[in-house]
Amino acid sequence: MLNATTYVTSQEGIGGTIRNQYEDFYVEEIPEVIPDGEGPNVYVWIEKLGRTTLDVVLDIARDLHISRKRMGFAGMKDKKAITRQWICIANMDSEDQFRQVENLDIYNTDFLKVVRGRKKLRMGQLKGNKFKILIKDLDDVQESAEIANEVLTELEIRGVPNYFGWQRFGKPRTVTHLVGEALVENDLEEAVRRYIGNPTEDEGEDNQKARKAYDDGNLEESLSLMGKGMRYEKMMIKELIKDSKKGELTDKSYMNALHALPKPLQRMFVHAYQSYLFNEAVSNRVAMGIDKYVEGDIVIDNEEHIVRDKSHEEFQELITNFKANPTCPLYGTKVPFAGGEVGEMEKGVLDKYGVKKEDFEVPKMPRLGSFGLRRNMRFQVWDSKATPTDEGVLCEFSINKGSYATAVLREIMKKDVI
């Protein structure tokens, strides 16, 4: 996982591969809000294959001829997987509108339930996610299952490092955090260039040509070369082409290009850079003891309230029982540092990258800036088991919302997991 270096478990990894086909990776949302069948909003329980949540949302909005702002979901689910989650369409009062939703035909997306709900669905309104993931290409499936169960048992007791997975940064084209870095450095032109231009060898030849044309200043040529997979790049470059006809491109032009993107994606850039730095802080803090209280830790409970005025022993008991967790910073303008050696470590991460807290204000685009927050440096895993099958080891487990299954698999496989 990007910028993650520390393991919790000591067993030798079983290796193997995942996502040989999308059906090998199954994710199901554990919802916080379940629609009751009445209300002005329409909820759809979808099963999608090989698509991002945002792609499905945009397709639904397009086919209903409504603003994407009326679409809500609790969390972004994997693209390279079979996933189930709720999507909410706000203010669809009439029966005709309800039937329009029922009759939608969205690519690689099944509507398993369509029901009415009273409240709109907001980001983060879920308890967690259930996973069923098949690990293939193993030397000894039976032995691998035994090792996987040992690792899962230890992780249930101690917790899992709360690293952000590759989905946060993008794969195979890992540039999201680099765009965020440019925004934090207040360089809008470079932020846009890193997203539209900046070709990498991990992409197809046509995409590389389109990106090189952008870097060479040939906007029209770049647009003409862009394939289907460059949906968001097209949104941005069309704004730039429009502005270029009025004269030289300015910071406002690049701002308009970024604003052409869906808001969740705009916000993802700085978040990804925060996540990149967070992973390094977690690596350093986990090395001090994932299930240990270290003097100076900022500890939060399961409602994300800071726990204060406890003795060392009381903090340790809360952590041992998963009633509270030490945290690391998602760096931002107002995030507090821990005390003692933990705080010195956290400041050292910023120093290493030449960044200050105030840089996260992003003054040219303050809506994309961040105050920052403290985030758990570990998460809980439950209902876990590993089962040998004819094809490999099937790992099943549930984890907290906002955490990544690949952090669990990383401990089992002891390799970079995407």
Side-chain angles (χ1 to χ4, degrees):
M1 302 177 86
L2 190 62
N3 226 20
T5 57
T6 307
Y7 290 98
V8 173
T9 53
S10 59
Q11 291 86 347
E12 185 175 343
I14 68 172
T17 60
I18 63 170
R19 302 187 201 263
N20 290 274
Q21 54 186 21
Y22 290 168
E23 291 82 357
D24 292 343
F25 199 105
Y26 174 83
V27 190
E28 182 178 322
E29 192 172 84
I30 305 172
E32 184 180 288
V33 177
I34 299 177
D36 59 8
E38 296 184 5
N41 309 306
V42 175
Y43 276 69
V44 187
W45 182 243
I46 67 166
E47 179 177 284
K48 63 182 182 64
L49 173 67
R51 308 205 68 202
T52 69
T53 302
L54 198 52
D55 282 340
V56 173
V57 164
L58 289 170
D59 283 357
I60 292 173
R62 178 199 64 207
D63 290 358
L64 291 175
H65 306 289
I66 62 174
S67 169
R68 63 178 178 249
K69 295 177 183 177
R70 286 171 58 183
M71 310 289 297
F73 50 90
M76 300 279 273
K77 296 292 179 287
D78 295 79
K79 177 179 180 178
K80 296 180 178 180
I82 297 177
T83 71
R84 292 186 176 188
Q85 70 181 121
W86 284 111
I87 300 287
C88 176
I89 311 165
N91 304 320
M92 302 288 283
D93 301 272
S94 73
E95 285 308 303
D96 280 347
Q97 289 174 314
F98 187 85
R99 282 193 292 273
Q100 283 176 19
V101 176
E102 285 185 312
N103 292 331
L104 287 173
D105 183 11
I106 303 298
Y107 177 69
N108 274 10
T109 306
D110 293 327
F111 287 14
L112 304 180
K113 296 178 189 174
V114 182
V115 296
R116 289 199 170 277
R118 298 180 190 277
K119 295 183 178 180
K120 296 177 183 178
L121 183 59
R122 307 291 188 190
M123 184 68 78
Q125 288 183 323
L126 72 161
K127 294 177 182 176
N129 294 287
K130 301 176 185 177
F131 292 87
K132 295 180 183 179
I133 301 169
L134 185 62
I135 305 175
K136 293 181 175 178
D137 299 321
L138 303 168
D139 293 333
D140 186 326
V141 170
Q142 188 66 45
E143 182 183 8
S144 295
E146 291 171 6
I147 293 171
N149 275 310
E150 288 177 14
V151 171
L152 288 167
T153 298
E154 184 174 349
L155 293 176
E156 284 205 14
I157 295 168
R158 302 186 65 197
V160 185
N162 200 15
Y163 296 126
F164 285 97
W166 281 103
Q167 301 98 306
R168 174 65 64 143
F169 309 106
K171 201 68 173 165
R173 182 172 160 78
T174 308
V175 300
T176 311
H177 68 296
L178 299 177
V179 177
E181 179 185 43
L183 288 170
V184 168
E185 292 171 349
N186 225 22
D187 190 340
L188 302 188
E189 181 178 359
E190 178 62 10
V192 171
R193 190 200 70 79
R194 288 181 181 184
Y195 194 79
I196 301 178
N198 188 27
T200 64
E201 293 181 358
D202 295 326
E203 294 184 278
E205 188 176 341
D206 288 344
N207 284 7
Q208 290 185 51
K209 288 178 180 177
R211 297 190 191 283
K212 185 177 186 307
Y214 178 85
D215 284 346
D216 291 342
N218 301 320
L219 303 189
E220 296 277 5
E221 181 185 353
S222 177
L223 178 61
S224 70
L225 289 168
M226 288 181 178
K228 290 182 180 179
M230 300 181 76
R231 180 180 203 166
Y232 301 120
E233 288 88 343
K234 289 177 184 177
M235 290 179 180
M236 298 173 77
I237 203 166
K238 285 175 182 177
E239 285 294 322
L240 294 175
I241 289 171
K242 185 169 67 176
D243 270 19
S244 70
K245 291 174 181 176
K246 302 173 187 175
E248 190 173 342
L249 294 177
T250 64
D251 267 350
K252 187 170 183 185
S253 306
Y254 297 112
M255 190 185 310
N256 290 339
L258 289 161
H259 281 320
L261 296 171
K263 283 186 178 177
L265 183 54
Q266 291 179 42
R267 297 189 188 105
M268 188 66 76
F269 297 129
V270 172
H271 290 177
Y273 188 52
Q274 290 173 298
S275 303
Y276 179 78
L277 301 176
F278 177 86
N279 276 4
E280 183 154 335
V282 170
S283 289
N284 297 338
R285 176 57 187 81
V286 166
M288 302 177 190
I290 190 170
D291 54 351
K292 304 300 181 187
Y293 174 70
V294 178
E295 207 66 45
D297 268 330
I298 296 177
V299 176
I300 60 174
D301 62 21
N302 293 332
E303 280 70 52
E304 299 189 352
H305 300 136
I306 293 178
V307 181
R308 306 179 190 275
D309 303 324
K310 301 287 184 184
S311 68
H312 191 290
E313 291 74 19
E314 288 171 325
F315 274 123
Q316 185 59 58
E317 184 177 358
L318 290 170
I319 291 167
T320 299
N321 294 318
F322 284 101
K323 292 183 178 178
N325 291 292
T327 60
C328 285
L330 271 171
Y331 294 98
T333 56
K334 295 185 178 180
V335 68
F337 289 125
E341 64 173 320
V342 181
E344 290 305 308
M345 175 275 291
E346 294 171 357
K347 294 171 188 173
V349 171
L350 283 189
D351 292 342
K352 175 180 174 181
Y353 292 93
V355 180
K356 298 183 176 63
K357 288 202 295 186
E358 52 265 32
D359 294 335
F360 287 88
E361 185 179 345
V362 191
K364 289 181 181 175
M365 294 189 73
R367 282 190 293 175
L368 303 187
S370 176
F371 292 149
L373 54 82
R374 303 291 305 192
R375 184 176 190 260
N376 287 338
M377 51 78 80
R378 66 170 190 165
F379 64 87
Q380 191 171 12
V381 58
W382 66 93
D383 291 341
S384 69
K385 66 177 180 180
T387 308
T389 74
D390 291 340
E391 295 184 278
V393 173
L394 180 65
C395 294
E396 301 178 58
F397 52 87
S398 295
I399 60 176
N400 306 113
K401 68 179 181 181
S403 301
Y404 288 79
T406 44
V408 179
L409 297 175
R410 176 179 176 273
E411 292 284 343
I412 294 169
M413 299 165 72
K414 295 296 191 299
K415 62 183 288 188
D416 200 16
V417 183
I418 299 169

